[in-house]
């Protein structure tokens, strides 16, 4: 076929020349390094408020998170066996419901 003959007779010998190999290598590595350099400026992921529908109950959570700062989910401590349960002066166990007044 014409393509096969062109690749064998013209394009192949041209690509095997040392200066063409060097030029192709320089272009390839320049493109690769440029891609790595630009990729460092990309932000990871998708903005959560954009990914959720406006009717989602998590929209209010993300608004509060933006307003009040970076706060994670509540943390609970589970005590499996305790011989003496320490309570404060109001009788509240500090590890089970810290900061909740009764």
């Amino acid at each position: 076929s014409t393509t096969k003959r062109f690749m064998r007779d013209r394009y192949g010998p041209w690509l095997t020349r040392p200066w063409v190999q060097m030029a192709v290598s320089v272009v390839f590595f320049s493109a690769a390094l440029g891609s790595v350099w630009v990729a460092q400026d990309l932000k990871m992921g998708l903005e959560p408020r954009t990914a959720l529908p406006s009717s989602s109950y998590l929209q209010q959570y993300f608004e509060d998170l933006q307003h009040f700062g970076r706060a994670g989910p509540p943390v609970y401590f589970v005590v499996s066996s305790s011989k003496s349960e320490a309570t404060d002066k109001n009788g509240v166990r500090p590890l089970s419901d810290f900061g909740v007044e009764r």
Side-chain angles (χ1 to χ4, degrees), residues 1 3 7 12 18-19 38 41-42 48 54 57 63 69 79 87 94 102:
S1 77
T3 306
M7 296 297 265
W19 68 271
V38 171
D41 295 333
L42 294 176
S54 60
Y57 69 95
E63 287 177 17
V79 179
T87 58
R102 292 184 184 216

Side-chain angles (χ1 to χ4, degrees), residues 32-54:
L33 289 175
S35 298
V36 169
W37 182 57
V38 171
Q40 293 175 357
D41 295 333
L42 294 176
K43 291 184 179 179
M44 293 290 290
L46 181 64
E47 182 68 30
R49 295 177 72 190
T50 307
L52 295 171
S54 60

Side-chain angles (χ1 to χ4, degrees), residues 13-101:
W14 183 76
L15 276 179
T16 57
R17 294 179 183 169
W19 68 271
V20 175
Q21 290 178 349
M22 185 61 69
V24 168
S25 297
V26 167
V27 168
F28 172 77
F29 285 114
S30 298
L33 289 175
S35 298
V36 169
W37 182 57
V38 171
Q40 293 175 357
D41 295 333
L42 294 176
K43 291 184 179 179
M44 293 290 290
L46 181 64
E47 182 68 30
R49 295 177 72 190
T50 307
L52 295 171
S54 60
S55 61
S56 173
Y57 69 95
L58 288 174
Q59 287 290 344
Q60 184 63 41
Y61 170 75
F62 289 118
E63 287 177 17
D64 292 342
L65 188 65
Q66 183 178 6
H67 185 294
F68 295 115
R70 293 273 178 204
V75 176
Y76 298 100
F77 296 95
V78 178
V79 179
S80 59
S81 65
S82 63
K83 295 180 181 169
S84 64
E85 294 185 11
T87 58
D88 64 2
K89 62 183 177 183
N90 295 326
V92 177
R93 285 183 250 148
L95 291 178
S96 63
D97 48 4
F98 180 72
V100 178
E101 294 185 25

